[in-house]
Amino acid sequence: MTSPVLVLAGVARHYREGMARLDILTNIDLALSPGETVALVAPSGAGKSTLLHIAGLLERPDAGEIYVAGAATSHMSDNDRTALRRNAIGFVYQFHHLLPEFTALENVALPQTIDGLDRREAERRALELLDYLRLGPRARHLPSELSGGEQQRVAIARAVANAPHVLLADEPTGNLDPRTAEHVFATLMSLARNTGLAALIATHNLDLADQMDRRVTLVDGRIVELA
């Protein structure tokens, strides 16, 4: 049996508002296997973004443990968490957040050069990835010269440029029209299934959620599996 690449075990997170304590996540247990796509469907304010931030090592939980590629992370230093996040986790957000002064190719190559890869090799690999996403002819264009769907596909390419184990996406099609959203979503599914990437995708789009391997929601700060 394949080992999970992302495990959240007993994860809790709360915030303080004056003297009051607000419990966002109370006892989260969730595991993702390689190539598995999981939809996180919950209303605004339920804690989806907090869950994604904790799973992506952007926040520390108040209790529980996060395992990434088998490594426990709670006692890691900030530098070690940053290195693990850079190499093992990719992020896609509702807005693409591409660097406007760089071309699509440069945006995808940049994470690889930050990770120490030679620039020429990083650009070669970036072009291969853009070709795979049917963006090769647009590689030398600036983000402002791309359509919304193209920008989001470049953001996906950037997120997976360092071959992460896990992709975390927060409403990645939320700013797109239905047809473009379906195309971008199909890109995500193809990447996961063809590369063994595990994907946790927060979405309000139930039609897209129904196409994933599993659907989960948040109820009173806990993960609940949906039929």
Side-chain angles (χ1 to χ4, degrees):
M1 183 176 179
T2 304
S3 299
V5 291
L6 175 67
V7 176
L8 279 68
V11 166
R13 187 75 170 102
H14 65 263
Y15 299 100
R16 292 283 180 182
E17 288 187 351
M19 298 296 293
R21 169 171 151 163
L22 184 61
D23 290 310
I24 304 298
L25 307 175
T26 55
N27 189 23
I28 296 292
D29 290 311
L30 180 66
L32 273 71
S33 298
E36 184 179 30
T37 58
V38 178
L40 176 58
V41 182
S44 297
K48 296 191 303 295
S49 293
T50 299
L51 176 58
L52 290 173
H53 288 167
I54 288 175
L57 309 183
L58 294 172
E59 290 186 38
R60 290 183 182 267
D62 296 303
E65 183 62 271
I66 299 98
Y67 300 88
V68 178
T73 63
S74 63
H75 298 297
M76 284 184 175
S77 67
D78 287 341
N79 286 341
D80 287 343
R81 285 165 60 89
T82 297
L84 182 60
R85 184 170 61 244
R86 184 173 63 234
N87 293 308
I89 303 171
F91 297 88
V92 181
Y93 299 98
Q94 185 170 350
F95 187 71
H96 57 76
H97 295 299
L98 298 174
L99 298 173
E101 67 273 26
F102 294 110
T103 65
L105 180 67
E106 291 166 337
N107 267 281
V108 179
L110 188 59
Q112 301 175 73
T113 57
I114 290 174
D115 200 38
L117 196 65
D118 172 80
R119 178 179 173 181
R120 182 174 297 179
E121 177 63 11
E123 290 191 350
R124 184 191 68 77
R125 290 173 55 178
L127 187 56
E128 282 186 355
L129 192 51
L130 290 170
D131 280 336
Y132 177 80
L133 300 181
R134 292 185 289 175
L135 286 168
R138 312 290 283 166
R140 306 289 177 181
H141 287 66
L142 295 172
S144 61
E145 299 170 322
L146 303 175
S147 70
E150 288 171 338
Q151 291 169 344
Q152 199 65 329
R153 280 187 286 151
V154 173
I156 292 169
R158 180 183 59 186
V160 301
N162 284 339
H165 299 287
V166 180
L167 180 70
L168 302 174
D170 196 353
E171 297 289 348
T173 62
N175 283 332
L176 305 175
D177 64 82
R179 183 176 178 181
T180 304
E182 183 68 38
H183 184 65
V184 169
F185 175 78
T187 298
L188 281 171
M189 295 302 98
S190 175
L191 275 171
R193 286 160 184 163
N194 292 331
T195 66
L197 182 68
L200 177 61
I201 302 173
T203 181
H204 285 108
N205 190 321
L206 297 181
D207 290 335
L208 298 184
D210 285 342
Q211 299 177 49
M212 298 189 218
D213 297 320
R214 292 162 53 204
R215 297 185 307 151
V216 300
T217 189
L218 286 165
V219 178
D220 296 329
R222 296 173 183 265
I223 284 285
V224 175
E225 296 274 347
L226 295 172

